Each structure stands twice: as C-alpha cells, then as structure tokens.
Amino acid sequence: MENLKRNIAIVCGGDSSEHDVSMRSAQGLYSFFDKKRYNVYLVDVKGLDWHVNLDNGDVVPIDKNDFSFVLDGKAVIFDYAYITIHGGPGENGVMQGYFELLHIPYSTSGVLVEAMTFDKYVLNNYLRAYGVNVAKSILLRRGEEGKYDGAYIESEIGMPCFVKPAADGSSFGVSKVKNADQLAPALRVAFMESDEVMIESYLKGTEISQGCYKTKSKSVVLPATEVVTKNEFFDYDAKYNGQVQEITPPAFQTTQQRR
C-alpha cells in the first residue's frame, strides 16, 4: 500500500518578504493532508537553495533537473506540487513554467494568468481594455522616484491614494498616502520590495474576498466573504495577526436576501 501512495510537494518559502508567511501556510496545509493516502513533503525554495524539510529535522537538497530528492538511498519523484509561495517565484508564473517543463501537475493557474495577475499595473490595464472599472494608476520604475511631484499625483490620482509594489505581494511595501508629504517616504518603502511601484487611486467601498477552484469536470465558486478591519486598510496585521472580521456571507448580501 505504501508504494501506491502519491508523493505531494508543498512548495513554500520564496524570495519575497513573505517567506515566513508562506512557511506558516505550508505547515497548515501539511496538517490537513491525509498521511495514510499521501506522502507529503515540505519543499522550501529560496533563491538557488531548494531543499526538503523532513519530519525528523533533516534537510535534503532538491535535484532541480527533475524536482526529486534522495531518501534512504532511493529517489523520490513527486506526483503533484501544491504551490503555496507568497510572491516570487510562486505567484509570478516562474515556478509554474518550471513544473510544466517537467510535466508535473501543480495547484495554481497557468503561467500566463499567474504572470499577469502578479503585476498589478499590467492586470489593471488589461481589465480596463475589457471595460472593467478599475482604479486609476501610475507606474514608476526604479530611478523615476522624482518623475512626478505631489501636486501632479494629487491632481491625477487624488488623495488619499495607495503606493504599492507593482509586481509583488500585497502585505509589504504598501502605504496609504493621505497627503503629498507622505508620498516620498511611501515610495522608498515600496521600492524596497520591487523595481516597479504603482500609485493607485483610493476606492471607497466594501472589501470582498471570494475564491474559486477548478477540477477536470467542473468549476466551483466559493461563498463571498466580507473583510472588515479597523486598520487603515487590509494590511499585514489584518491578514495574519487577526486584526480583521471575516463575514460570510457578506452583510450586504444578507440584507438583500432579507428584502
């Protein structure tokens, strides 16, 4: 029966500031898997250091040629990769392209979708072309920090606005800017996370999170969840330190149903 068990890699870590967050996510996923049905391994990826963290504390290197490792003298080949990296290279299409080259099934969207959705500025403009109402934004590249002054940003984007890494996660480097004096410090923080930074207009409204997944036979849309926090926005503390209320179904949806 042991030989019939599939080998699952929970691919975690990554190169962004959210490396430790990813590791916590991976531990949670690891606890949910049925170990009687699957051999589950945590694969920590950071730069060129890829290794498996074994239950006994040992660390075993991954062979990047075929995404395998050696355990007790035998090669372990993975049947599936569950990608839970926050940021690059797990959310930008890089890891997905690697697994496609090796013909290893993985959990996320494909290369194009991952690459496009990872870059907020690219995605906004892509959606705008289809008539989707998205926030106004300006893109700055490293070295262009002084390209626009506060008065221009206020006239074009408005205040308050958000300054965020254009191609990275959404937990680090994000600032809500309320006046022109806060713009330069916010840009410095954002450029610490990414070579491209987006200045985006503030949209007031109800924040909704809604997931979905697809199998071979169907697509499933999960219930919507309203995200409520007393913080300035849905920041790191709200996401990971419990400073948030998550309401399912959303309050506005409940009100509509009562009507």
Side-chain angles (χ1 to χ4, degrees), residues 5-59:
K5 293 168 70 174
R6 297 292 182 92
N7 295 322
I8 308 296
I10 299 179
V11 187
C12 50
D15 302 326
S16 78
S17 298
E18 296 187 60
H19 177 278
D20 292 344
V21 175
S22 171
M23 298 303 294
R24 294 203 299 270
S25 298
Q27 289 290 347
L29 284 169
Y30 182 85
S31 69
F32 298 144
F33 270 94
D34 184 351
K35 309 307 187 299
K36 294 181 180 179
R37 297 179 60 190
Y38 305 103
N39 297 316
V40 186
Y41 302 94
L42 294 180
V43 179
D44 186 354
V45 171
K46 188 172 179 62
L48 296 177
D49 179 16
W50 295 21
H51 59 262
V52 178
N53 295 329
L54 298 176
D55 288 342
N56 62 5
D58 288 347
V59 172

Side-chain angles (χ1 to χ4, degrees), residues 170-183:
S170 54
S171 297
F172 292 92
V174 182
S175 302
K176 184 177 181 180
V177 174
K178 298 180 180 179
N179 57 64
D181 292 338
Q182 297 176 348
L183 189 59

